[in-house]
Amino acid sequence: QVQLIESGGGLVQAGGSLRLSCAVSGTTFSNYAMAWFRQAPGAERNVVAAITKSGDNTYYRGSVKGRFTVSRDNAKNTVYLQMNSLKPGDTAVYYCAATPRSGKSNYMLRSSYVYWGQGTQVIGSS
């Protein structure tokens, strides 16, 4: 049984930082590209950042470039999202997800992802 368990969410003042973690079990972690998605109330779930299976390449949505950093540790079966300079607009539930596919077009596509975590709430207060 594949499990993705996120942690690290919380309330942070604007300009602050948070680090999310997603621990993966029940499968070979390095066989999957990973991504972080977020979903605000009443909005769609959109990709925030993605990282390739090896961790050599990363991709970001424009609004978080330069502020967020995605990384992974294949020895620990964990993917991270370091979020700096948080804004109230970053408020959402953040989900990690796994895809066996390759290629940037797949990494940025929600339908590519086959396993999902339960989500962790991030609130950026003004």
Side-chain angles (χ1 to χ4, degrees):
Q1 178 183 357
V2 179
Q3 286 191 308
L4 283 68
I5 300 177
E6 300 101 335
S7 60
L11 172 67
V12 62
Q13 285 191 331
S17 298
L18 277 177
R19 188 196 197 201
L20 305 183
S21 299
C22 172
V24 178
S25 61
T27 190
T28 304
F29 181 62
S30 58
N31 286 348
Y32 293 85
M34 300 296 297
W36 288 93
F37 286 75
R38 69 185 181 188
Q39 187 169 20
E44 292 185 351
R45 189 176 300 187
N46 293 315
V47 66
V48 174
I51 187 166
T52 55
K53 299 172 186 179
S54 64
D56 287 347
N57 291 294
T58 55
Y59 306 92
Y60 299 91
R61 71 180 298 111
S63 60
V64 307
K65 270 184 184 177
R67 300 190 297 123
F68 290 11
T69 302
V70 60
S71 61
R72 66 189 293 162
D73 186 336
N74 283 355
K76 295 183 178 179
N77 292 354
T78 302
V79 61
Y80 305 96
L81 185 68
Q82 177 67 44
M83 304 186 292
N84 298 329
S85 302
L86 278 162
K87 305 175 181 179
D90 295 319
T91 295
V93 177
Y94 284 70
Y95 300 89
C96 67
T99 178
R101 296 184 178 181
S102 298
K104 182 180 179 181
S105 61
N106 287 316
Y107 300 148
M108 307 306 280
L109 192 62
R110 179 179 173 179
S111 60
S112 297
Y113 291 84
V114 297
Y115 298 117
W116 292 84
Q118 81 289 351
T120 185
Q121 178 74 56
V122 171
I123 300 173
S125 66
S126 55

